Amino acid sequence: MSVTGARTRQVAMATAVVLVLGWTQGCTSDGPATPSASPDGPVEVRDHADDLTVVDDASPADRSVVVSRLLVEQADVVLVASTDVAPAVAETARDHGLPALDAAAVGLADEVERLDASTVVLVGTPPAGALDGVADQVVTATPKDLTSVLAEHAPDASTAQGGRDTVVLTRDPGADALALATAGGAEVVSVPSGDPRSDPAVADRLRELGEQPTVVLGPDWVEPAYTLEVVRTQPEQPGGGHTIFPGRHVVALYGSPGIPALGMLGEQDPAATVARTQEVVAQYAAISDRPVVGAFELIATIADADIGADGDYSREVPVETLRPWVDAAREAGLYVIIDLQPGRTDFLTQAQRYAELLKEPHVGLALDPEWRLTPDQVHLRQIGSVTGAEVDAVGAWLADLTRENDLPQKLFVLHQFSPLMISNREVVRSDRPELQVVVHVDGQGSPAAKVGTWNQLRAGAAPTIAWGWKNFVDEDLPMLTPEQTWGIAPRPDLVTYQ
């Protein structure tokens, strides 16, 4: 987190008593109320940041009470509604500036008492005895006559209700209707996916709102402390947004600076490579129903026939040699993928050499197991391989680097043209929110042989894995055209040219 000393409160419901958080903010004529202490009671709180409260283990009914406890200090009049009439009651509550609670919520009576309400307007039927003795008067209404009942029984209703200078996020505005009505002056943002990075419009709005106290309602959110910080502080990825796939395709040129034999990328300088990449991208954009973004795949450690001074059969390209390429890509709106061919060392050791570049928002990482040797192997005599455990260790390190620096999601590309190249691939996690794992099917040969490998490697793969295809300009017989490449099923997420 970039906010020093921040803590997130992640809140769950505790058995039969509704929980309460350590800050309560009301909306008064003088602005947000001073934070107040939580009432006593069984409360489960997991702390991470002062400005974020995650209510992830409460039902929609219970969330109405949680939001009231968070944002309302006192209310003379409180609406209590059965779940079946909640949407209609929520609209009236919002119009009148009144807190609205679900009649089925755990801790309902305690919350009405805490609010020190003199009048409860009941719409629907609560559980028997739920409101006994908690207010001076309890009056009933239907959604149709609620406005007139309020005019009669609460003509001068006043309340400290609302959450001015607070942001409330919900995945389901309908289910959270009462909670959102109670939030009053809070800025409500709907995030149906549970990941604010995945919707550029949501990200734009959160960036406009800036760093404000935030309440996140409901389960199954994607790491709110991380994802919110990303959209508020980081530039969008090339092509927009803060996640990679779905929503776009990436087309890359592969190679190493100044070495034409290793691929198209090394045949010209950075500026000319930008132009050449954009030419290839344009061919795909003309036939694609999604945006197509260009990329450089830079071989940073090169498999070498010479054992080298460090004994690893891998020549490491200095960071300062790669830097102009990384900068040129950023300025042109392209991704960069740092590719590793480690020889007799391990992938993590090599990846850490390029941490400086991997801290850039537009830079991801690729592992090339073909060139991962055991201590008794040499290149071109044996095809290298790697264990799933080693790959996953690199993924864990890269995810931590991404999270610690509040970076957008990164590409994590695994080159593979044989099942034997990554043993136990199933242990490689592909659900880390910081990374988009791509299995890049990069064998060369006839189209039929390559499609056969494509289908073999995809069998049984996790649905969270994206897929890449490589076209070899000289070795494929023949190389697929963009139209033919787009005809592969499913359509590749990443296409690389070597």
Side-chain angles (χ1 to χ4, degrees), residues 72 144 273 296 316 405 434:
V72 184
K144 185 176 295 186
T273 304
F296 294 167
E316 294 83 7
N405 291 277
E434 304 89 351

Side-chain angles (χ1 to χ4, degrees), residues 78 108-109 155 166 206 217 269 287 312 348 358 370 382 404 412 434 441 454 459 493:
V78 176
L108 171 65
T166 300
L206 291 171
L217 300 179
D269 64 19
I287 59 174
D312 64 3
L348 181 57
L358 290 166
E370 176 186 4
Q382 298 90 14
E404 289 165 3
F412 183 41
E434 304 89 351
V441 183
W454 170 267
D493 301 290

Side-chain angles (χ1 to χ4, degrees), residues 208-350:
E208 290 171 0
L209 293 170
E211 298 285 348
Q212 297 187 40
T214 300
V215 180
V216 176
L217 300 179
D220 301 323
W221 287 80
V222 179
E223 301 288 354
Y226 161 62
T227 58
L228 286 170
E229 192 70 12
V230 168
V231 300
R232 284 169 169 163
T233 64
Q234 290 292 329
E236 291 189 351
Q237 292 281 58
H242 295 83
T243 55
I244 312 295
F245 306 126
R248 78 202 69 192
H249 299 278
V250 176
V251 174
L253 298 193
Y254 179 92
S256 195
I259 309 178
L262 293 181
M264 294 170 65
L265 180 141
E267 294 176 355
Q268 57 280 306
D269 64 19
T273 304
V274 167
R276 191 173 184 183
T277 302
Q278 291 170 336
E279 290 175 0
V280 178
V281 166
Q283 297 177 49
Y284 283 88
I287 59 174
S288 179
D289 57 355
R290 292 180 176 178
V292 181
V293 178
F296 294 167
E297 184 162 358
L298 292 168
I299 309 173
T301 62
I302 304 168
D304 200 333
D306 183 8
I307 190 171
D310 54 8
D312 64 3
Y313 287 93
S314 179
R315 179 160 58 87
E316 294 83 7
V317 179
V319 168
E320 54 267 27
T321 301
L322 299 175
R323 171 59 70 182
W325 294 78
V326 171
D327 292 346
R330 182 186 62 249
E331 293 166 6
L334 307 182
Y335 286 113
V336 172
I337 306 166
I338 300 295
D339 185 87
L340 305 179
Q341 300 177 356
R344 289 184 179 179
T345 190
D346 63 277
F347 279 115
L348 181 57
T349 296
Q350 286 204 332

Side-chain angles (χ1 to χ4, degrees), residues 50-283:
D50 277 341
D51 55 353
L52 176 62
T53 303
V54 179
V55 185
D56 64 350
D57 194 28
S59 68
D62 296 334
R63 293 199 289 268
S64 70
V65 169
V66 173
V67 169
S68 177
R69 287 184 180 259
L70 282 170
L71 302 181
V72 184
E73 286 199 327
Q74 187 276 330
D76 297 335
V77 179
V78 176
L79 299 181
V80 175
S82 298
T83 302
D84 58 324
V85 297
V89 173
E91 184 176 355
T92 303
R94 191 163 44 246
D95 292 343
H96 287 74
L98 300 173
L101 309 178
D102 194 301
V106 174
L108 171 65
D110 289 342
E111 178 58 9
V112 173
E113 187 173 5
R114 186 194 69 82
L115 290 169
D116 195 25
S118 58
T119 301
V120 172
V121 179
L122 173 63
V123 189
T125 306
L131 296 173
D132 290 350
V134 298
D136 295 337
Q137 64 172 345
V138 176
V139 298
T140 60
T142 67
K144 185 176 295 186
D145 65 8
L146 179 55
T147 299
S148 60
V149 169
L150 289 175
E152 178 182 355
H153 292 279
D156 300 317
S158 62
T159 176
Q161 178 260 356
R164 193 170 65 196
D165 299 326
T166 300
V167 177
V168 178
L169 306 185
T170 176
R171 296 194 64 181
D172 187 345
D176 284 323
L178 295 178
L180 299 178
T182 297
E187 181 74 30
V188 174
V189 180
S190 176
V191 190
S193 69
D195 186 349
R197 301 173 305 168
S198 65
D199 186 332
V202 168
D204 288 345
R205 184 60 183 141
L206 291 171
R207 196 158 42 249
E208 290 171 0
L209 293 170
E211 298 285 348
Q212 297 187 40
T214 300
V215 180
V216 176
L217 300 179
D220 301 323
W221 287 80
V222 179
E223 301 288 354
Y226 161 62
T227 58
L228 286 170
E229 192 70 12
V230 168
V231 300
R232 284 169 169 163
T233 64
Q234 290 292 329
E236 291 189 351
Q237 292 281 58
H242 295 83
T243 55
I244 312 295
F245 306 126
R248 78 202 69 192
H249 299 278
V250 176
V251 174
L253 298 193
Y254 179 92
S256 195
I259 309 178
L262 293 181
M264 294 170 65
L265 180 141
E267 294 176 355
Q268 57 280 306
D269 64 19
T273 304
V274 167
R276 191 173 184 183
T277 302
Q278 291 170 336
E279 290 175 0
V280 178
V281 166
Q283 297 177 49

Side-chain angles (χ1 to χ4, degrees), residues 385-398:
S385 63
V386 68
T387 65
E390 180 175 327
V391 172
D392 195 61
V394 179
W397 172 81
L398 184 62

Side-chain angles (χ1 to χ4, degrees), residues 426-483:
E426 65 275 7
V427 307
V428 180
R429 283 186 55 187
S430 58
D431 62 346
R432 292 183 173 100
E434 304 89 351
L435 307 180
Q436 175 59 71
V437 174
V438 179
V439 173
H440 196 277
V441 183
D442 67 348
Q444 54 188 249
S446 70
K450 293 182 68 164
V451 169
T453 302
W454 170 267
N455 292 332
Q456 180 185 28
L457 293 177
R458 291 190 66 255
T464 45
I465 292 175
W467 293 89
W469 177 275
K470 181 176 283 190
N471 284 325
F472 287 84
V473 175
D474 297 322
E475 291 83 3
D476 284 349
L477 303 170
M479 187 182 77
L480 297 184
T481 66
E483 290 80 6

